[in-house]
Amino acid sequence: MFCNFLGVKFIYLFVLVCRLSNHLGLKAAVEAAAEFFDKAVKPVMVGGPKLRVAHAGDAFVELADASGYALAVMPSAKGLVPEHHPHFIGTYWGAVSTAFCAEIVESADAYLFAGPIFNDYSSVGYSLLLKKEKAIVVQPDRVTIANGPSFGCVLMKDFLRALAKRLKHNKTAHENYSRIFVPNGHPLKSAPKEPLRVNVLFHHIQNMLSSETAVIAETGDSWFNCQKLKLPAGCGYEFQMQYGSIGWSVGATLGYAQAVTEKRVIAFIGDGSFQVTVQDVSTMIRNGQKNIIFLINNGGYTIEVEIHDGPYNVIKNWNYTGLVDAIHNGEGKCWTTKVRCEEELIEAIETATGAKKDSLCFIEVIAHKDDTSKELLEWGSRVSAANSRPPNPQ
Ligand SMILES: Cc1ncc(C[n+]2csc(CCOP(=O)(O)OP(=O)(O)O)c2C)c(N)n1
Ligand SMILES: *[C@@H]1O[C@H](CO)[C@@H](O)[C@H](O)[C@H]1NC(C)=O
Ligand SMILES: *[C@@H]1O[C@H](CO)[C@@H](O)[C@H](O)[C@H]1NC(C)=O
Ligand SMILES: *[C@@H]1O[C@H](CO)[C@@H](O)[C@H](O)[C@H]1NC(C)=O
Ligand SMILES: [Mg+2]
């Protein structure tokens, strides 16, 4: 008890100490960073997931505005960086980045990472072509310049704001990007009643997004498909890349909709993930939530197939609409449907956003088990190679 008490007190003091930036440290960090960047020819900045805990999203944008630098977002920070910003160049995710983003980031001669977490997933199996010598890494209370020096007790938002006032403007990286950028292609047109392809599905989803929606992306191929959505100003976005714990999104959908009542939550959940936490749908209906759930039924653990295949990746098929109808049980507002082709999808989206806009809408999308994003194929090969490397010598 006593020890715990002391422990708590100790942590509390530590937090208090770093609630404010050390003035001299901040000044030195800003000077060192400005010197580093003012020498660079085509600097860029990349937002990471710790922008959120550091409350530094606005300061990050201030720095982008003031510096003219191109800005990108790490996959795990999607939703924390405005994608409608005039210097925005997309998601930086190594080999599975959005079009032309990795090329610009990795060829830059200096980059600032604000609040990154580099793990096996965000680093695509440790295959990012980044160099420490070119990086300034800003964590919530520390700034590290290249291989050193490192300045502790410097708060991210103070640092970004002070640096914004100090840097020379340099738009080169964004100008280069604009010059060479070619957007991703459109999916091929479906033949009448052709089995629905996932890229056709997400083509229609893009048009559903606005400042009045929020996207929740479950672990699985939905990670990659949702990552490619272009978020309009104010559109929420949540996914969970640190643990990638499947089933997370059903509870996250419930919680988000309960907390942020002004947005309609649109969730993308694989069949394997949904089987873990389906019962949360009951609470959604009970609380009158109007979420739209796209249940992507591809018959198994498609993401796992691309990392390590085996018969265990095929799962028992359920009647997902039948299950949700049973949970609904005539109490509350809930509408379900199954879609197998583009025509049925268009009709389902019309109903969910029209006649059933006040109901929980559950749309089971039947997809082929091998219908994956190209990003999952690439990412899976690289993560698999990293996972199966021999252990480090002890
Ligand atoms: C709690 C937990 N168990 C197991 C895993 C391993 N795992 C990661 S993705 C996945 C399958 C996801 O399947 P599904 O939701 O159907 O998505 P799909 O890849 O088919 O789109 C599994 C089993 C995990 N990440 N978390
Ligand atoms: C960016 O910085 C480099 C190096 O100082 C310089 O050559 C280039 O002209 C700058 N570009 C702009 C647009 O300021
Ligand atoms: C971008 O601009 C810089 C400076 O003008 C130049 O060195 C570089 O080669 C250009 N192109 C690319 C693709 O980076
Ligand atoms: C699945 O559930 C739906 C909706 O409740 C129902 O109409 C359908 O008959 C069920 N399918 C099977 C094969 O039982
Ligand atoms: Mg699946």
Side-chain angles (χ1 to χ4, degrees):
M1 275 283 279
F2 192 61
C3 275
N4 279 344
F5 176 64
L6 276 183
V8 167
K9 207 164 171 186
F10 178 75
I11 289 165
Y12 181 67
L13 281 175
F14 180 78
V15 169
L16 264 188
V17 167
C18 274
R19 282 259 303 277
L20 296 170
S21 293
N22 173 304
H23 226 75
L24 289 174
L26 174 62
K27 218 170 147 223
V30 169
E31 280 314 308
E35 197 184 317
F36 185 88
F37 278 128
D38 282 346
K39 296 202 293 260
V41 176
K42 39 182 177 172
V44 301
M45 43 196 282
V46 185
K50 290 193 195 162
L51 277 174
R52 191 199 304 251
V53 287
H55 302 288
D58 290 344
F60 185 75
V61 173
E62 273 174 41
L63 177 59
D65 288 338
S67 65
Y69 294 3
L71 78 160
V73 63
M74 290 182 75
S76 46
K78 192 175 173 75
L80 301 179
V81 171
E83 302 189 4
H84 56 282
H85 191 281
H87 316 161
F88 185 71
I89 61 167
T91 298
Y92 175 63
W93 198 359
V96 295
S97 299
T98 53
F100 293 81
C101 184
E103 292 81 355
I104 294 293
V105 172
E106 292 175 351
S107 72
D109 52 346
Y111 22 71
L112 179 146
F113 278 84
I117 298 178
F118 296 107
N119 58 24
D120 53 344
Y121 288 174
S122 66
S123 72
V124 199
Y126 308 107
S127 68
L128 303 180
L129 297 177
L130 296 175
K131 291 214 173 83
K132 219 176 156 195
E133 308 86 84
K134 298 202 276 178
I136 293 187
V137 177
V138 189
Q139 289 299 2
D141 60 1
R142 171 169 295 275
V143 175
T144 304
I145 298 181
N147 290 308
S150 187
F151 303 89
C153 239
V154 172
L155 297 192
M156 185 190 291
K157 62 173 186 295
D158 295 342
F159 173 77
L160 297 176
R161 288 219 161 96
L163 189 60
K165 298 202 180 81
R166 180 64 186 68
L167 281 184
K168 274 199 232 152
H169 201 76
N170 197 324
K171 297 191 296 195
T172 304
H174 187 259
E175 283 171 358
N176 279 354
Y177 167 84
S178 312
R179 206 173 295 118
I180 65 176
F181 178 73
V182 179
N184 272 330
H186 289 303
L188 294 176
K189 213 173 153 34
S190 305
K193 296 284 154 86
E194 179 190 333
L196 185 61
R197 279 173 280 122
V198 171
N199 56 28
V200 173
L201 165 66
F202 279 89
H203 186 64
H204 287 280
I205 301 304
Q206 180 66 62
N207 301 327
M208 295 176 76
L209 305 184
S210 72
S211 60
E212 275 132 49
T213 58
V215 173
I216 307 259
E218 178 61 271
T219 302
D221 197 28
S222 298
W223 265 6
F224 301 90
N225 291 308
C226 292
Q227 196 62 232
K228 290 185 282 185
L229 293 168
K230 180 104 179 130
L231 300 183
C235 181
Y237 191 93
E238 298 293 335
F239 92 138
Q240 204 281 89
M241 212 175 161
Q242 186 60 24
Y243 304 99
S245 185
I246 62 170
W248 162 87
S249 69
V250 193
T253 299
L254 168 65
Y256 196 109
Q258 205 59 26
V260 189
T261 48
E262 66 277 13
K263 290 194 204 292
R264 195 164 191 201
V265 179
I266 309 179
F268 298 90
I269 312 179
D271 49 343
S273 302
F274 191 67
Q275 288 197 2
V276 183
T277 49
V278 47
Q279 63 274 25
D280 284 342
V281 170
S282 182
T283 315
M284 293 179 201
I285 298 173
R286 183 162 179 235
N287 287 3
Q289 296 188 356
K290 299 161 195 164
N291 314 326
I292 305 178
I293 297 177
F294 285 91
L295 184 286
I296 297 154
N297 182 357
N298 54 14
Y301 299 154
T302 294
I303 188 173
E304 293 287 341
V305 171
E306 311 313 334
I307 301 175
H308 192 279
D309 201 6
Y312 41 78
N313 286 328
V314 176
I315 62 172
K316 176 77 185 69
N317 193 28
W318 291 359
N319 186 346
Y320 294 97
T321 54
L323 178 64
V324 170
D325 287 343
I327 293 172
H328 175 208
N329 196 26
E331 291 172 22
K333 287 186 180 169
C334 174
W335 174 73
T336 69
T337 189
K338 288 189 205 287
V339 305
R340 292 184 176 76
C341 57
E342 189 177 16
E343 293 88 335
E344 288 174 1
L345 173 71
I346 291 170
E347 205 184 311
I349 292 174
E350 262 169 30
T351 306
T353 53
K356 296 290 177 185
K357 70 177 185 341
D358 295 322
S359 296
L360 186 112
C361 295
F362 182 87
I363 302 174
E364 179 182 345
V365 178
I366 312 293
H368 191 279
K369 79 182 215 330
D370 298 321
D371 187 353
T372 73
S373 61
K374 83 177 182 36
E375 289 78 11
L376 168 56
L377 291 179
E378 178 69 28
W379 178 91
S381 310
R382 288 169 184 260
V383 168
S384 165
N387 287 357
S388 55
R389 73 196 186 283
N392 292 330
Q394 292 301 308

